[in-house]
Amino acid sequence: MIKRLRFLGIVITITIVIFISLGLMETLTAQQASISHPLTSLTEAEISTAVSIIKREKTLSEMAAFPLIALQEPDKEEVINFTHGKIFGRKVFLVIYERSQNKTFEGIVDIRSKTLSYWKERASVQPAIVNSEYELATQVVKADPRWQKAMQRRGITDFEQVKISWWAPGILSEQEEATGNRLCRGLSYYKGKGWNYYGSPIEGVLATVNLNTGKIASFVDKGNIPFSQENWNYDVKSLGKLLSPLKVLKILQANGRSFQIKDNEISWQGWKFRYSMHPRNGLMLYQVTYKDGENIRPVLYRASLSEMVVPYGNPKPTWSFRNAFDVGEYNLGLLANTMELGKEIPENGLLLNAVFANEQGEPYQMPGVIGIYERDNGMLWKHYEYNTQRNDVRRSRELVMKMTVAIDNYDYSINWIFHQDGTLEVQNELTGIILAQGTAAQKQSEDDSYGRLIAKNIFGVNHQHFFNYRLDFDVDGQANSVMEMNVNALPMNEKNPLGNAIAVAETPLANETAAVRDLDMKSSREWIIVSADKKNVLGDAPGYMLMPGGNSIFFPVEGSKIRERAEFATHHLWVTKYKPTELYAGGDYPNQTKPGQGLPKYISDNESLLGEDIVLWYTMGVTHIPRSEDWPVMPVHRVGFKLVPRGFFSRNPAINLPE
């Protein structure tokens, strides 16, 4: 009898296991059905699964945070060779920070096998700041008697009227570096009756908080400097009298949109590409191709904003630390805004959602953080024939993908713009509120060389914005080289008697250290990424040319701490041989980083770039000398570059557009 019962129990147990397994298989199958490609964005279910496996395999404290959860990008060859219906892997990359231990860990979870396939402590690094740390630091500072006395000396007794804005610590003192503690620095603003507190900085007060101990590490109070008491709100009601409204301008596509979207793949006018919203990089492109006749020709495998740095040019101790690495220190993608039709993008656009994870590892969906739309761009090409009065002209259409982010006071938008002539353009828009400095001045002084007075008691500090883009080119395949093109005027001689000769020289950049280059207006310098094993109809190598737009040099001088930390910004062009782990121009962890990380380290092995799978890194900068017209909200300033086909097509690819 006992044996029968045991046998029956075993049968029941096996049956239950089978049913559970079947249920899991059904769940997995349903989940897999929605994931049609190796580069499909992570789902909420995948994020939850990855976090649960980490918690199952590792003992985490209650204070453990997940600063970053993202798709672990699959092997490039696997993606390139993928065909529909083929089985592929799915992995999740996670950064885990234990604040009480001041330790950073990286993990990779294999979703298919439900295992933790990689786990490593990254010694002496600090991940991006997370939301709970802002709240912790604010509580610590507002409870501190030194900060309270500093406010009271300035006539502020209601501390709820003070907003503290938190920054990564930027440039560290030797003592701060030696401790290795996780720090942040707080700037105080008076809110008063208005909601736009950025117009009332409480100058001279700087609190540095040790986030590991929850205590103030240092406090600076440089005396009572007046702050603006004006109401700088800019809503319609606050502004009072408005300009006369313009007549309605409607942007309509009566017959629907011209682009097609399936999962995260978009097709338009010969272009096809995948997109993703990364929690750190923001809006990214993958597998950008162009259909040339019947041929699908690759251009880029992966393209993204890699890093930013915003150095401020005031040497005062309460300002000189301010050098924000907005991508790596704050996770730019997580700061994306929900956009609105008719505002950030026109009425004919489409808004797309993104899935992220919060610091607790909980997935959430953010609506409308990606915008895609078509827009008119004037003439595409034209010729008027005087003899016959024949007028041939085509109108230009562009496809734009946009994201917008707010990083404290500043706002940015990142735009990927596809043209009908085979050009891919990157355009960054800078707007938002200038980081103001409080001052007693009410008129501009000749001594104010570190910036400009932009309103009474408000000083705009000179600063720069540098953006580095990582562009993994695959022009007609992975075997590529980079050519530098310089244009020169030739001297007058017997071959050039009128002195009008213009010569072009193309020089290969043979290795990584030789490919650290800068713009040169005197020679109209540009760079061409060419196929190393293909020829066009004229017997030349097909290529894509990086055509720079506006740019600047990095002004911090040799020997400065920020120049050592942001070395990627000291040159306009870097080229590296492809390595899947080399993703960030400023290094994996720019928060409190050591010098020489990122690109300087990547090129240290000086690999060959001839006929290789190469990655081009382009840095563009804006030098901002503030003006009164930038206040209280700065009109958009645009900066960008273009990737233009050069010998890639046999003729103008837009010549056969219908009228």
Side-chain angles (χ1 to χ4, degrees), residues 50-101:
V51 172
S52 66
I53 290 170
I54 290 283
K55 290 180 176 179
R56 182 189 73 194
E57 297 295 325
K58 299 294 177 179
T59 303
L60 304 182
S61 73
E62 292 183 0
M63 295 176 65
F66 293 84
L68 184 72
I69 299 178
L71 175 69
Q72 174 65 25
E73 293 185 17
D75 180 75
K76 184 174 180 179
E77 291 299 326
E78 178 188 355
V79 175
I80 290 173
N81 296 321
F82 172 76
T83 55
H84 183 70
K86 190 176 180 179
I87 297 174
F88 55 89
R90 292 288 284 179
K91 294 182 179 180
V92 181
F93 175 78
L94 306 94
V95 175
I96 300 94
Y97 180 67
E98 287 281 13
R99 193 164 65 237
S100 59
Q101 304 169 31

Side-chain angles (χ1 to χ4, degrees), residues 421-468:
D421 66 354
T423 296
L424 174 56
E425 181 179 0
V426 173
Q427 187 182 84
N428 289 3
E429 296 175 313
L430 290 69
T431 181
I433 302 175
I434 288 173
L435 187 67
Q437 179 181 357
T439 176
Q442 299 196 5
K443 289 188 177 180
Q444 182 70 39
S445 166
E446 293 181 3
D447 296 332
D448 295 333
S449 60
Y450 302 137
R452 288 292 180 270
L453 195 70
I454 54 177
K456 292 180 180 179
N457 302 120
I458 299 176
F459 190 73
V461 175
N462 300 335
H463 60 281
Q464 295 184 287
H465 304 256
F466 276 83
F467 308 85
N468 180 275

Side-chain angles (χ1 to χ4, degrees), residues 455-571:
K456 292 180 180 179
N457 302 120
I458 299 176
F459 190 73
V461 175
N462 300 335
H463 60 281
Q464 295 184 287
H465 304 256
F466 276 83
F467 308 85
N468 180 275
Y469 277 85
R470 181 184 183 275
L471 305 166
D472 180 359
F473 278 94
D474 281 355
V475 177
D476 270 340
Q478 291 174 258
N480 286 177
S481 300
V482 182
M483 309 295 289
E484 180 174 284
M485 185 177 75
N486 290 285
V487 182
N488 297 294
L490 298 184
M492 292 180 67
N493 54 32
E494 64 280 2
K495 293 183 179 180
N496 184 27
L498 297 181
N500 66 317
I502 300 172
V504 177
E506 292 186 5
T507 307
L509 302 180
N511 52 54
E512 291 177 327
T513 55
V516 180
R517 306 295 292 165
D518 290 303
L519 293 176
D520 185 354
M521 183 181 289
K522 292 179 181 178
S523 63
S524 291
R525 182 172 292 164
E526 294 173 331
W527 296 279
I528 311 168
I529 301 85
V530 298
S531 171
D533 56 6
K534 306 285 194 315
K535 297 294 182 183
N536 60 23
V537 294
L538 301 176
D540 202 2
Y544 256 79
M545 179 172 64
L546 191 148
M547 183 182 290
N551 214 320
S552 181
I553 64 167
F554 197 63
F555 279 114
V557 298
E558 292 285 347
S560 64
K561 289 287 186 73
I562 183 55
R563 195 175 181 92
E564 294 173 351
R565 288 186 65 215
E567 196 169 342
F568 71 86
T570 63
H571 295 285

Side-chain angles (χ1 to χ4, degrees), residues 18-31:
I18 290 171
F19 274 112
I20 291 172
S21 300
L22 285 171
L24 285 172
M25 286 175 65
E26 286 176 6
T27 303
L28 275 174
T29 303
Q31 186 174 318

Side-chain angles (χ1 to χ4, degrees), residues 255-271:
N255 298 323
R257 304 181 182 98
S258 301
F259 61 88
Q260 294 80 45
I261 180 167
K262 182 180 180 182
D263 297 328
N264 68 332
E265 185 179 67
I266 293 173
S267 304
W268 179 82
Q269 288 285 284
W271 290 104

Side-chain angles (χ1 to χ4, degrees), residues 64-339:
F66 293 84
L68 184 72
I69 299 178
L71 175 69
Q72 174 65 25
E73 293 185 17
D75 180 75
K76 184 174 180 179
E77 291 299 326
E78 178 188 355
V79 175
I80 290 173
N81 296 321
F82 172 76
T83 55
H84 183 70
K86 190 176 180 179
I87 297 174
F88 55 89
R90 292 288 284 179
K91 294 182 179 180
V92 181
F93 175 78
L94 306 94
V95 175
I96 300 94
Y97 180 67
E98 287 281 13
R99 193 164 65 237
S100 59
Q101 304 169 31
N102 194 21
K103 291 184 177 181
T104 302
F105 300 91
E106 292 176 348
I108 296 176
V109 170
D110 189 316
I111 295 295
R112 300 295 194 221
S113 64
K114 288 187 163 32
T115 58
L116 179 60
S117 59
Y118 172 85
W119 181 262
K120 181 181 179 180
E121 180 183 348
R122 292 291 300 266
S124 304
V125 301
Q126 295 292 341
I129 296 179
V130 296
N131 285 333
S132 62
E133 293 175 320
Y134 299 132
E135 298 167 9
L136 167 67
T138 297
Q139 293 172 5
V140 169
V141 169
K142 287 197 172 184
D144 188 85
R146 292 169 293 178
W147 182 85
Q148 293 179 356
K149 288 179 182 177
M151 296 302 107
Q152 290 166 348
R153 278 197 297 272
R154 291 162 173 81
I156 300 171
T157 55
D158 183 0
F159 302 145
E160 291 301 311
Q161 291 300 313
V162 179
K163 168 69 177 176
I164 303 181
S165 173
W166 291 101
W167 285 55
I171 303 301
L172 302 177
S173 67
E174 290 184 7
Q175 183 180 0
E176 289 171 335
E177 280 189 36
T179 65
N181 290 323
R182 182 170 172 82
L183 306 173
C184 64
R185 306 196 200 276
L187 311 176
S188 300
Y189 294 86
Y190 182 62
K191 290 192 289 188
K193 297 178 181 179
W195 47 263
N196 181 16
Y197 53 85
Y198 289 114
S200 301
I202 301 171
E203 199 59 42
V205 177
L206 178 65
T208 300
V209 172
N210 181 335
L211 293 167
N212 302 127
T213 62
K215 296 179 181 179
I216 286 188
S218 64
F219 184 78
V220 175
D221 180 6
K222 289 294 184 181
N224 297 351
I225 300 171
F227 55 85
S228 176
Q229 301 283 347
E230 291 189 41
N231 184 339
W232 289 111
N233 292 354
Y234 47 85
D235 57 282
V236 171
K237 184 178 179 182
S238 299
L239 292 172
K241 188 176 180 180
L242 302 177
L243 297 173
S244 300
L246 296 171
K247 294 183 179 180
V248 174
L249 173 63
K250 286 287 185 182
I251 303 171
L252 301 173
Q253 287 183 276
N255 298 323
R257 304 181 182 98
S258 301
F259 61 88
Q260 294 80 45
I261 180 167
K262 182 180 180 182
D263 297 328
N264 68 332
E265 185 179 67
I266 293 173
S267 304
W268 179 82
Q269 288 285 284
W271 290 104
K272 183 176 283 189
F273 60 93
R274 292 186 177 274
Y275 72 89
S276 176
M277 192 69 173
H278 193 278
R280 177 168 172 169
N281 303 89
L283 181 58
M284 300 168 54
L285 304 184
Y286 292 97
Q287 293 190 290
V288 180
T289 64
Y290 195 96
K291 186 176 182 181
D292 181 17
E294 296 302 314
N295 298 320
I296 305 297
R297 303 177 66 186
V299 177
L300 286 158
Y301 176 74
R302 184 185 189 273
S304 71
L305 175 64
S306 171
E307 191 52 87
M308 292 172 55
V309 64
V310 185
Y312 280 83
N314 190 315
K316 290 182 179 178
T318 54
W319 275 85
S320 56
F321 79 91
R322 305 185 199 196
N323 301 279
F325 288 71
D326 288 324
V327 175
E329 287 181 336
Y330 302 101
N331 279 336
L332 178 134
L334 295 180
L335 301 176
N337 313 140
T338 295
M339 296 181 284

